[in-house]
Amino acid sequence: RGSLKGGGMIYKYEALSITGMEQSGWEEGAKENIRKKLLSKRYQVLSLEADYGKTLQGIIERKKIRTNSLAVFFEDIQNMLKTGIGINETISALAEANTDFVLQKALIEIGDSINRGLSLRAAFEKTKAFPWLVLNMLEVGEKSGGLEHICGDLAEFYHKEDEFKNILKDAMIYPIIVLILIIGLMFYISLKIVPQLASLIAVNGKMPLATQIILSLSAFLRSFWYIAAVIPFAAGYGYTRLQRSRTEKVAGYYYKIPFLGPITKDVTLTAIFLNLSILQKNGIGIVDSLDLVQKTLPYDFLSKKIIKIKEQITAGFSLWAAIKEDPFFVPFIYKTIRKGEEIGRLGEYLFTLSKYFSDKVTRQIKMTLTFIQPALLLFCAGFVMLILFAFLVPLYSNLNNIAGGGSTF
């Protein structure tokens, strides 16, 4: 048996239990985290290998509820609970009215599970469609009797996350479209237009530099088009390997990539502090909150940092003092957290940090776009001018020679 939630690499394990019984199954997540999880069950790990087939199947069959659907869903639950309607009736009513197929299917399953006596958390977890935050928050709400308040917090959280994702998505659309058009234009001209005009642009055996560049590019793309096709994938693979590196020094370079690195770092900090603020606000201790956040981080680089902070807090450090030890976190962070801890409003100050980094990302994206958009337009205009110069100058020279003129370029 294993825990398959969708979204990461799936590993198959074989192990021996403390009684000597053979155990096998699948787990999803970072390899080292899975190994630690098995060891915590006192298993002797015999093998732990990536299962690419299972991972691909999980991607194809992934049951993921859209962020905006989650926001509206929890807002609806909160409003219905305010009117005094029970959770069973609420789930049943929302299942009938929901238009998100994945969420609707999950709600029907949740309703059946609750009717069979499962707890709310167990019913939601059984669908494998809801994020970890939802499951833990619902458990807190059930035990504390504050389910209505919890659903309000979840609605606010997913509204903010959806808004944040839309900002990032909108920011990327224009540069991606322009890049695709430029690349498509380069391929079309190099593979279709240039070969047809190559015989017309020789000038007494000499060609301008622009003409030589265009002809060389055309010859390269025609002969080695597969290399040009592989380059984006190779760059993406290298970027991902850098992002997922287990070596702290190597992974640290990922967050130092010009433009992209600082934005990615701030996006990560936004998510971490927003999750911590929600958990703290609802009475979950800081060590447990860090543990929950750490288990869901996709990269070992970040996971190790949270583990180290958690260990230092367990050893007697305050949160701000533990964070201060890691240069990954700028002084502004631990100073803000220190203030929150001193006045007993840590959850509020963590939320302030998440909002600060969210607003900072928005500003960084807008600032970056003010440079990227003109740069892409200038590049496109420069490429068009290069082509015109490469073709028109030799053609004009040929026509001038035919006419017996003496003008040269």
Side-chain angles (χ1 to χ4, degrees):
R1 294 182 299 173
S3 173
L4 305 181
K5 299 178 183 177
M9 178 63 72
I10 295 173
Y11 292 85
K12 183 176 181 180
Y13 67 84
E14 293 181 0
L16 291 177
S17 68
I18 193 172
T19 59
M21 293 182 62
E22 291 187 3
Q23 302 286 338
S24 64
W26 290 267
E27 288 285 348
E28 180 180 346
K31 189 173 183 179
E32 287 305 310
N33 289 344
I34 296 172
R35 187 182 297 278
K36 289 176 183 176
K37 181 178 178 180
L38 295 173
L39 292 175
S40 69
K41 296 179 180 180
R42 303 181 72 181
Y43 284 180
Q44 180 185 346
V45 181
L46 301 177
S47 68
L48 183 60
E49 301 294 336
D51 190 329
Y52 295 100
K54 201 83 172 177
T55 302
L56 181 60
Q57 181 183 355
I59 292 172
I60 295 171
E61 298 177 354
R62 184 176 302 163
K63 299 184 291 183
K64 187 176 181 180
I65 301 171
R66 295 194 303 269
T67 307
N68 63 333
S69 295
L70 285 171
V72 173
F73 168 62
F74 285 111
E75 192 172 0
D76 288 343
I77 289 184
Q78 183 190 31
N79 291 332
M80 295 182 77
L81 289 176
K82 281 181 181 178
T83 65
I85 301 175
I87 189 63
N88 295 40
E89 292 80 4
T90 298
I91 295 295
S92 177
L94 292 177
E96 292 178 7
N98 211 284
T99 56
D100 187 309
F101 174 75
V102 178
L103 180 56
Q104 185 182 51
K105 186 178 177 181
L107 290 177
I108 293 171
E109 188 177 347
I110 289 168
D112 292 339
S113 298
I114 292 174
N115 291 333
R116 290 201 301 272
L118 267 67
S119 67
L120 194 59
R121 185 219 162 98
F124 272 72
E125 187 173 13
K126 190 171 180 289
T127 66
K128 294 189 174 77
F130 292 89
W132 67 274
L133 181 64
V134 169
L135 304 179
N136 287 288
M137 294 290 283
L138 289 177
E139 185 176 10
V140 172
E142 258 187 317
K143 290 179 179 179
S144 65
L147 190 58
E148 178 188 320
H149 178 68
I150 291 289
C151 288
D153 285 343
L154 286 170
E156 182 181 4
F157 173 83
Y158 285 112
H159 273 305
K160 290 184 181 298
E161 188 172 277
D162 184 55
E163 181 182 353
F164 191 59
K165 285 181 178 179
N166 287 334
I167 289 172
L168 293 177
K169 192 186 298 180
D170 292 342
M172 294 301 296
I173 288 175
Y174 177 80
I176 289 174
I177 290 175
V178 173
L179 275 175
I180 291 173
L181 290 174
I182 290 174
I183 292 170
L185 179 66
M186 288 176 63
F187 267 89
Y188 180 77
I189 291 175
S190 299
L191 298 177
K192 294 290 185 182
I193 305 298
V194 173
Q196 296 178 18
L197 298 176
S199 60
L200 303 176
I201 56 179
V203 186
N204 298 326
K206 297 180 180 180
M207 293 180 289
L209 178 61
T211 308
Q212 295 178 42
I213 292 172
I214 293 297
L215 287 177
S216 298
L217 177 62
S218 175
F220 175 81
L221 291 178
R222 279 185 285 117
S223 302
F224 304 102
W225 60 269
Y226 49 88
I227 295 179
V230 167
I231 287 175
F233 295 100
Y237 177 77
Y239 176 82
T240 303
R241 293 297 299 174
L242 184 64
Q243 188 181 48
R244 295 178 179 273
S245 175
R246 295 176 186 171
T247 306
E248 184 166 348
K249 189 174 181 180
V250 175
Y253 288 126
Y254 168 72
Y255 295 100
K256 296 178 182 178
I257 299 173
F259 296 110
L260 185 61
I263 291 176
T264 305
K265 180 178 178 179
D266 289 339
V267 168
T268 301
L269 292 173
T270 299
I272 289 174
F273 290 125
L274 186 55
N275 287 331
L276 286 175
S277 70
I278 292 293
L279 293 168
Q280 278 283 292
K281 186 179 178 182
N282 288 280
I284 298 177
I286 189 60
V287 173
D288 291 334
S289 297
L290 287 167
D291 187 55
L292 291 170
V293 171
Q294 177 265 320
K295 288 178 180 176
T296 61
L297 291 173
Y299 310 122
D300 285 344
F301 175 75
L302 297 170
S303 183
K304 287 177 181 177
K305 290 186 177 297
I306 299 299
I307 290 172
K308 188 175 180 180
I309 291 171
K310 186 175 63 174
E311 289 173 348
Q312 288 179 313
I313 292 174
T314 304
F317 281 69
S318 60
L319 177 60
W320 76 266
I323 286 178
K324 185 181 179 181
E325 297 297 313
D326 192 333
F328 182 78
F329 300 97
V330 296
F332 167 73
I333 293 175
Y334 69 76
K335 289 179 181 179
T336 302
I337 292 174
R338 181 178 185 176
K339 182 67 175 178
E341 285 186 306
E342 288 175 349
I343 63 175
R345 294 161 60 186
L346 180 58
E348 182 181 331
Y349 275 67
L350 287 169
F351 180 78
T352 300
L353 279 173
S354 73
K355 188 176 186 305
Y356 167 79
F357 284 109
S358 174
D359 293 342
K360 186 180 176 183
V361 168
T362 303
R363 291 195 303 271
Q364 286 176 321
I365 288 173
K366 288 180 179 178
M367 189 181 303
T368 302
L369 287 178
T370 59
F371 290 103
I372 289 179
Q373 291 176 358
L376 288 173
L377 290 174
L378 286 172
F379 178 81
C380 189
F383 182 67
V384 172
M385 290 298 295
L386 179 68
I387 293 169
L388 290 175
F389 189 80
F391 289 155
L392 293 181
V393 170
L395 287 174
Y396 180 82
S397 297
N398 281 345
L399 292 174
N400 189 55
N401 289 334
I402 292 171
S407 300
T408 58
F409 279 81

